[in-house]
């Protein structure tokens, strides 16, 4: 009899999202206050467990110590790229053919893009562009060549069309062209566009006529900027842009390692898109295409709609600050999960504004 009571109590103290069990209800309440579980977390299509990242979900399904039942089903009906569970092996084959993308066009167009400056920033066809991806290639400056200087930049739209691409003349002398990976020679930068000119073109195109102080996440004219390690790229271009308009695949929680460190773009492209990049001489166009495809895949996810989806929204009560402790302890784990909200901005929310 005592065993049944203990078992029932343990079940009551089990998190409805990650399935962690706690000895006391107050421990579960504290866990929910700090975990920020939500409908936007990667979720196992079999047991419905919430994971903090897709890497965590991958470990749950096919890692060294997976949940055996989930692993068995995933091995026959699971997509190794998006980690979705399909209805049958045949449905999986059809799905995976579409889910595995190709970078062949990116490589080919990137080679053509090497031929001189491409500037469509003032072209009428780009006026309706809402999302753009940016990437830079760096050469070395300083006495030991370790200082990163932007020498080539690329900007594309969501259909992978080049908006702007150019070699860039850095403000400081180049001491290492890093030719093995950049393919850049001294003569390419001799008559290249100056950094200040590139900075202004990119800044103006991103802001799209909107003053920096006026830019807001929704309803404005400023464009969403996608990239990988954008802090570094923007710093090298000396471009400022509001964080609310930046979508960085190096910082997006669902795409990070279980250790909460960034994955490389090369790894993300291979694991989630199914093709290889950055082999040999690297082109910023190729990086732009990879980050845009990752962004579009994350944006296309379908999650439960919520009026106020963020923990930072003043209207919701994710941190449970307005609830009394005894009220929280009377809630079921499912009710706590229903009240919980995400501590990061899910990119699926962008699709609702377009």
């Amino acid at each position: 009899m005592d065993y049944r009571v203990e078992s029932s109590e343990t079940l009551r103290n089990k998190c409805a999202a990650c399935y962690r069990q706690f000895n006391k209800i107050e421990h579960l309440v504290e866990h929910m206050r700090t975990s920020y579980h939500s409908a936007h977390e990667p979720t196992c299509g079999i047991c419905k467990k919430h994971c903090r990242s897709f890497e965590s979900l991958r470990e749950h399904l096919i890692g060294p110590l997976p949940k055996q039942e989930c692993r068995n089903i995933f091995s026959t009906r699971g997509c190794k790229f998006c980690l979705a569970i399909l209805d049958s092996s045949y449905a999986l084959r059809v799905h995976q053919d579409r889910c595995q993308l190709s970078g062949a066009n990116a490589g080919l167009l990137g080679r053509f893009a090497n031929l001189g400056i491409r500037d469509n920033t003032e072209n009428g066809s780009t006026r309706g562009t809402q999302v753009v991806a940016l990437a830079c290639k760096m050469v070395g400056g300083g006495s030991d060549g370790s200082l990163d200087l932007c020498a080539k930049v690329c900007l594309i739209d969501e259909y992978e069309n080049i908006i702007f691409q150019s070699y860039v003349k850095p403000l400081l002398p180049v001491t290492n062209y890093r030719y093995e990976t950049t393919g850049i020679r001294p003569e390419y930068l001799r008559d290249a566009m100056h950094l200040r000119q590139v900075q202004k073109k990119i800044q103006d195109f991103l802001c799209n006529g909107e003053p920096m102080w006026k830019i807001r996440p929704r309803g404005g004219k400023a464009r969403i900027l996608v990239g990988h390690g954008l802090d570094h790229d923007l710093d090298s271009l000396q471009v400022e842009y509001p964080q609310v308009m930046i979508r960085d695949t190096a910082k997006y929680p669902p795409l990070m390692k279980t250790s909460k460190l960034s994955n490389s773009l090369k790894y993300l492209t291979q694991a989630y898109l199914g093709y290889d990049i950055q082999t040999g001489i690297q082109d910023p166009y190729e990086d732009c295409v990879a980050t845009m495809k990752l962004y579009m895949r994350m944006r296309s996810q379908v999650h439960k709609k919520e009026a106020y989806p963020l923990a930072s929204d003043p209207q919701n009560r994710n941190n449970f600050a307005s609830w009394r402790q005894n009220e929280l302890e009377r809630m079921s784990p499912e009710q706590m999960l229903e009240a919980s909200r995400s501590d990061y901005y899910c990119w699926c929310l962008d699709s609702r504004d377009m």
Side-chain angles (χ1 to χ4, degrees):
M1 182 174 178
D2 290 344
Y3 173 79
R4 286 197 300 270
V5 170
E6 183 178 279
S7 177
S8 174
E9 188 64 25
T10 303
L11 190 63
R12 169 167 161 70
N13 300 340
K14 181 179 179 180
C15 176
C18 67
Y19 301 154
R20 280 187 62 186
Q21 295 185 356
F22 300 89
N23 291 327
K24 297 181 178 180
I25 186 66
E26 52 263 39
H27 296 163
L28 173 59
V29 169
E30 184 59 30
H31 166 75
M32 292 303 294
R33 279 181 170 159
T34 58
S35 63
Y36 298 99
H37 288 310
S38 76
H40 299 280
E41 291 177 304
T43 304
C44 176
I46 303 160
C47 70
K48 307 306 177 186
K49 177 182 178 179
H50 290 227
C51 298
R52 187 63 180 171
S53 67
F54 282 102
E55 288 301 290
S56 179
L57 176 57
R58 194 182 295 275
E59 287 190 4
H60 168 77
L61 293 167
I62 54 175
L65 296 170
K67 183 175 180 183
Q68 203 59 46
E69 179 189 353
C70 296
R71 179 183 183 178
N72 293 342
I73 295 174
F74 185 83
S75 65
T76 58
R77 294 194 280 119
C79 175
K80 63 182 180 181
F81 302 114
C82 69
L83 306 181
I85 307 298
L86 284 300
D87 293 333
S88 65
S89 298
Y90 173 75
L92 172 63
R93 287 195 298 273
V94 173
H95 166 87
Q96 206 153 263
D97 284 343
R98 293 196 309 265
C99 202
Q100 182 173 13
L101 304 180
S102 168
N105 289 339
L108 182 63
L109 288 173
R111 299 298 170 262
F112 281 120
N114 275 328
L115 305 174
I117 295 173
R118 296 282 295 275
D119 186 359
N120 295 314
T121 53
E122 297 178 11
N123 190 319
S125 63
T126 63
R127 284 177 190 161
T129 303
Q130 293 179 298
V131 183
V132 297
L134 173 77
C136 299
K137 282 304 164 191
M138 309 291 179
V139 292
S143 58
D144 59 354
S146 64
L147 179 65
D148 285 343
L149 305 172
C150 177
K152 191 175 184 183
V153 63
C154 183
L155 195 68
I156 69 167
D157 65 16
E158 56 192 289
Y159 304 106
E160 302 170 18
N161 300 311
I162 294 174
I163 296 169
F164 179 74
Q165 177 156 291
S166 174
Y167 289 108
V168 182
K169 181 174 283 189
L171 298 177
L172 298 175
V174 178
T175 55
N176 183 355
Y177 286 87
R178 304 174 183 172
Y179 177 78
E180 294 77 10
T181 55
T182 66
I184 296 173
R185 299 181 184 274
E187 56 267 30
Y188 297 171
L189 304 186
R190 197 167 295 137
D191 298 316
M193 192 177 286
H194 284 268
L195 178 66
R196 298 295 187 208
Q197 293 174 281
V198 174
Q199 173 200 33
K200 187 175 188 317
K201 275 192 172 291
I202 291 176
Q203 187 94 60
D204 290 350
F205 188 79
L206 292 176
C207 293
N208 198 21
E210 206 160 16
M212 188 76 71
W213 60 269
K214 198 177 178 183
I215 292 175
R216 56 193 187 279
R218 295 181 179 88
K221 295 187 293 182
R223 296 176 165 102
I224 291 172
L225 178 62
V226 177
H228 188 85
L230 278 171
D231 287 348
H232 185 49
D233 286 349
L234 293 176
D235 186 57
S236 71
L237 291 167
Q238 299 182 6
V239 170
E240 294 182 4
Y241 205 54
Q243 284 296 320
V244 292
M245 301 303 291
I246 288 176
R247 309 290 181 263
D248 195 332
T249 55
K251 290 184 172 182
Y252 190 49
L255 292 177
M256 296 179 79
K257 298 178 182 179
T258 53
S259 61
K260 298 184 180 179
L261 297 174
S262 299
N263 278 301
S264 68
L265 180 59
K266 184 180 178 73
Y267 170 79
L268 291 175
T269 305
Q270 197 280 327
Y272 297 100
L273 302 179
Y275 70 93
D276 292 317
I277 63 168
Q278 299 176 352
T279 55
I281 291 177
Q282 301 169 16
D283 194 290
Y285 176 78
E286 187 179 50
D287 291 356
C288 281
V289 170
T291 55
M292 184 61 81
K293 285 180 175 178
L294 284 166
Y295 167 75
M296 297 298 282
R297 178 152 289 180
M298 294 295 107
R299 193 180 82 176
S300 66
Q301 293 186 313
V302 179
H303 295 145
K304 176 185 173 184
K305 290 187 177 181
E306 297 159 328
Y308 305 104
L310 298 176
S312 55
D313 290 335
Q315 295 87 348
N316 74 52
R317 301 193 285 185
N318 182 75
N319 62 4
F320 305 106
S322 58
W323 296 88
R324 291 179 181 155
Q325 184 71 17
N326 61 351
E327 290 177 321
L328 290 168
E329 292 179 7
R330 284 199 296 270
M331 283 185 177
S332 68
E334 291 74 21
Q335 288 172 325
M336 289 188 208
L337 178 58
E338 184 68 24
S340 187
R341 292 294 183 269
S342 175
D343 61 341
Y344 65 87
Y345 180 88
C346 182
W347 292 350
C348 78
L349 300 173
D350 287 343
S351 64
R352 300 174 192 178
D353 300 324
M354 295 179 180

